[in-house]
Amino acid sequence: MDSALIDAYRNTDYRVRLSQGGWASIRIDAPVPEPLRALIGLHGWAFITAWNPFSQVLPRPQNRAAQQALLGALRRLAATPTICPAMGVGRDWREPSFFVVGPTLAETDALVQQFRQNAYVHGLADGYARLRLTSDEPPRGQAG
């Protein structure tokens, strides 16, 4: 994965739809926004999508079908997570996403790899948002 793509992920605005209306924006290497802290509590969380596998643009119908399959997979996790609609907003693109509270890092890694994503955003409790790379090529894990 090249550094330009990692930079694009780092500069994305990861927006979570709030139940009372509006959005909360997550930024890489920044604390979780206040409106999300009560929802997260002491749990891990992730911001994930199934759109545009390996950052290759696909037709909208294929992306929608993949996103629905991801939602189904999230709902089948052992400990049913809290799932909120979300949107990744980059400089020239938008991707419908999910903000999920509760899945383990291993569960999220497996789902993100299943849906062929290069990376996702995650965190523990109300700590900092981190970019996690899922490629089999170095660097793997946290993006430095």
Side-chain angles (χ1 to χ4, degrees), residues 38-112:
L39 179 64
I40 293 169
L42 300 175
H43 303 285
W45 59 268
F47 190 104
I48 61 178
T49 189
W51 278 61
N52 299 323
F54 299 129
S55 298
Q56 300 299 310
V57 177
L58 290 181
R60 188 175 297 265
Q62 283 181 270
N63 281 323
R64 283 186 183 142
Q67 193 75 350
Q68 285 301 309
L70 173 58
L71 179 58
L74 287 167
R75 288 178 173 158
R76 288 187 298 275
L77 291 176
T80 305
T82 300
I83 304 168
C84 300
M87 181 73 66
V89 180
R91 187 170 159 202
D92 299 316
W93 55 269
R94 293 174 167 260
E95 287 183 348
S97 303
F98 297 113
F99 177 75
V100 294
V101 178
T104 67
L105 200 56
E107 288 172 323
T108 307
D109 279 349
L111 284 174
V112 171

Side-chain angles (χ1 to χ4, degrees), residues 21-35:
W23 300 86
S25 290
I26 297 172
R27 301 300 294 206
I28 303 294
D29 296 331
V32 172
E34 186 63 39

Side-chain angles (χ1 to χ4, degrees), residues 115-137:
F115 289 92
R116 303 176 337 196
Q117 298 297 306
N118 288 323
Y120 67 97
V121 180
H122 76 102
L124 295 173
D126 61 356
Y128 282 67
R130 301 293 183 209
L131 180 63
R132 185 165 175 84
L133 306 178
T134 58
S135 170
D136 288 335
E137 299 175 18

